[in-house]
Amino acid sequence: MNDKNKIIKQTFQKVFDDLEVVLGWKQGFDSLHMTPAFIRKASDLDQLVFNPQCVQNLSGYLFSTLKAADPEKQGKIGICVKGCDSRSLTALIQEGLVERDRVYIVGIPCKGVVDVKKLRNLKPSLTEISGITIEADEVVIEADGKTERFPIADVLAHKCLQCRYPNPLIYDALIGEPVTARVAQDAARPAVEQLDALSLEARRNFWLTEMDRCIRCYACRNACPMCVCQDSCIAETRSPKWLSQRSDISEKFLFHMIRTVHLAGRCTECGECMRVCPVDIPVTLLMEKMNCIVKELFDYEAGIDPESKPPLQTYDSSKTGI
């Protein structure tokens, strides 16, 4: 167990009696993957790990975990968060979906996480990985008894290459030293700028082509920490009936446009939607564009300040002239 993993374990040990469950990461089914861990026994805290393979945003499990918790106990949920994850958690608190005093937050500064698909495409022969670290502009991988180095642009997740908040913004305990953001907070988003440079028709064709590959599995919705209304989602509700089960482009496009608007001023760009898409649609790019619009109109970013109110939640139906 490395030093950081030991400190995470020791931190939760101190408060474990007050917690119903700890959400962290543990070794997955092979050496490449980590997986979410739901720790309910103190003896299992040894399973917790943190490394660049801990890609999942655990905030996505928080709402349902709290909902399923024993209402009599009102115990706390312990959770590990990276910088981007902490924004999702903050947004859940902002919307009243999570009570701040029901969570014990262990924040972990993050240099980035690997995109497993990129890594597999780059080096399909990698099998027994014993360690991955990030050093300056390189990802260093120990595997099969060898050390290999890759440029971060080739291996890190899309969200990490333009991460402006690598340090948790909200926490009860911080593990490790803060790290320097890879880009400035007001830095442009290159992928959005590249699309914006296209003509309106070209942009429309780009998205129609991408959306036509959608298989409507709703993995993007299911992985999103802010999509908490799944039981009454417009994709499946029949009263009112917004969408049919037809698999044509108009239905697919409408689903993604409604979801994008639903997340306006709420998306924290954690990238989970794009990570889990089985056909690699760049869903996050839609959210980034929407966030640029929200920033321009309202000077607002989601998940930064737990005390602020998202601008699109200030709608008052009693006002006239809207």
Side-chain angles (χ1 to χ4, degrees):
M1 183 180 287
N2 66 32
D3 289 344
K4 186 167 285 184
N5 294 346
K6 283 182 183 175
I7 296 172
I8 293 172
K9 173 189 172 184
Q10 291 165 356
T11 302
F12 280 121
Q13 272 181 330
K14 293 175 185 173
V15 296
F16 197 80
D17 288 344
D18 297 327
L19 305 178
E20 287 198 26
V21 61
V22 170
L23 306 184
W25 301 274
K26 66 179 181 180
Q27 181 67 53
F29 62 91
D30 64 10
S31 63
L32 183 57
H33 295 84
M34 300 297 129
T35 191
F38 294 74
I39 305 292
R40 298 182 185 278
K41 295 187 294 185
S43 58
D44 289 339
L45 288 172
D46 281 335
Q47 298 177 13
L48 293 176
V49 298
F50 182 75
N51 56 47
Q53 295 153 271
C54 296
V55 298
Q56 299 90 355
N57 181 352
L58 302 176
S59 299
Y61 299 96
L62 195 52
F63 179 73
S64 57
T65 302
L66 279 168
K67 201 173 176 181
D70 187 340
E72 298 296 323
K73 290 184 180 177
Q74 287 289 303
K76 288 188 175 184
I77 308 296
I79 184 170
C80 295
V81 296
K82 307 182 291 288
C84 52
D85 308 339
S86 76
R87 289 185 61 194
S88 304
L89 178 48
T90 299
L92 290 168
I93 293 172
Q94 285 178 295
E95 297 189 14
L97 297 168
V98 168
E99 296 174 53
R100 176 64 180 91
D101 59 5
R102 290 291 308 279
V103 287
Y104 180 80
I105 308 167
V106 169
I108 309 173
C110 173
K111 294 181 180 179
V113 296
V114 297
D115 182 324
V116 173
K117 293 175 185 172
K118 284 184 180 178
L119 191 54
R120 274 181 166 165
N121 290 335
L122 193 64
K123 198 74 176 179
S125 60
L126 281 178
T127 53
E128 294 302 319
I129 294 174
S130 55
I132 298 181
T133 55
I134 297 174
E135 298 178 5
D137 293 330
E138 289 184 323
V139 176
V140 183
I141 299 180
E142 308 284 344
D144 304 315
K146 300 177 183 175
T147 300
E148 301 211 46
R149 296 175 177 272
F150 302 96
I152 58 170
D154 293 346
V155 181
L156 285 195
H158 168 79
K159 63 175 182 178
C160 303
L161 296 174
Q162 55 186 20
C163 177
R164 291 162 294 139
Y165 298 98
N167 301 304
L169 299 176
I170 184 172
Y171 55 82
D172 294 300
L174 187 68
I175 309 296
E177 296 296 320
V179 300
T180 303
R182 191 156 280 114
V183 300
Q185 290 189 8
D186 58 352
R189 294 170 173 81
V192 172
E193 287 192 332
Q194 191 175 354
L195 260 185
D196 282 347
L198 301 177
S199 67
L200 188 61
E201 187 65 17
R203 271 180 278 164
R204 178 178 178 274
N205 290 337
F206 171 83
W207 283 116
L208 287 176
T209 301
E210 292 293 333
M211 296 308 174
D212 200 29
R213 297 190 292 111
C214 176
I215 58 175
R216 293 185 68 177
C217 65
Y218 305 130
C220 53
R221 177 202 67 183
N222 296 344
C224 176
M226 303 310 296
C227 281
V228 296
C229 51
Q230 294 177 13
D231 292 341
S232 54
C233 175
I234 54 97
E236 288 151 338
T237 181
R238 289 295 169 263
S239 180
K241 184 178 179 180
W242 291 90
L243 294 170
S244 76
Q245 296 304 303
R246 291 194 306 273
S247 185
D248 55 42
I249 183 60
S250 62
E251 298 289 298
K252 297 173 184 177
F253 197 82
L254 183 58
F255 165 71
H256 285 285
M257 289 303 105
I258 292 176
R259 181 170 177 274
T260 300
V261 172
H262 182 59
L263 288 167
R266 304 176 67 229
C267 173
T268 55
E269 298 181 32
C270 71
E272 287 294 87
C273 51
M274 193 157 83
R275 181 180 69 82
V276 300
C277 179
V279 292
D280 296 329
I281 297 172
V283 190
T284 303
L285 189 51
L286 269 178
M287 306 305 160
E288 290 176 18
K289 176 59 182 176
M290 181 58 79
N291 282 348
C292 289
I293 295 171
V294 171
K295 178 69 175 175
E296 181 180 350
L297 292 177
F298 303 105
D299 191 25
Y300 177 81
E301 285 185 278
I304 304 299
D305 177 6
E307 301 300 324
S308 67
K309 194 168 182 65
L312 298 183
Q313 289 195 6
T314 58
Y315 171 71
D316 183 352
S317 60
S318 65
K319 288 185 178 179
T320 58
I322 296 177

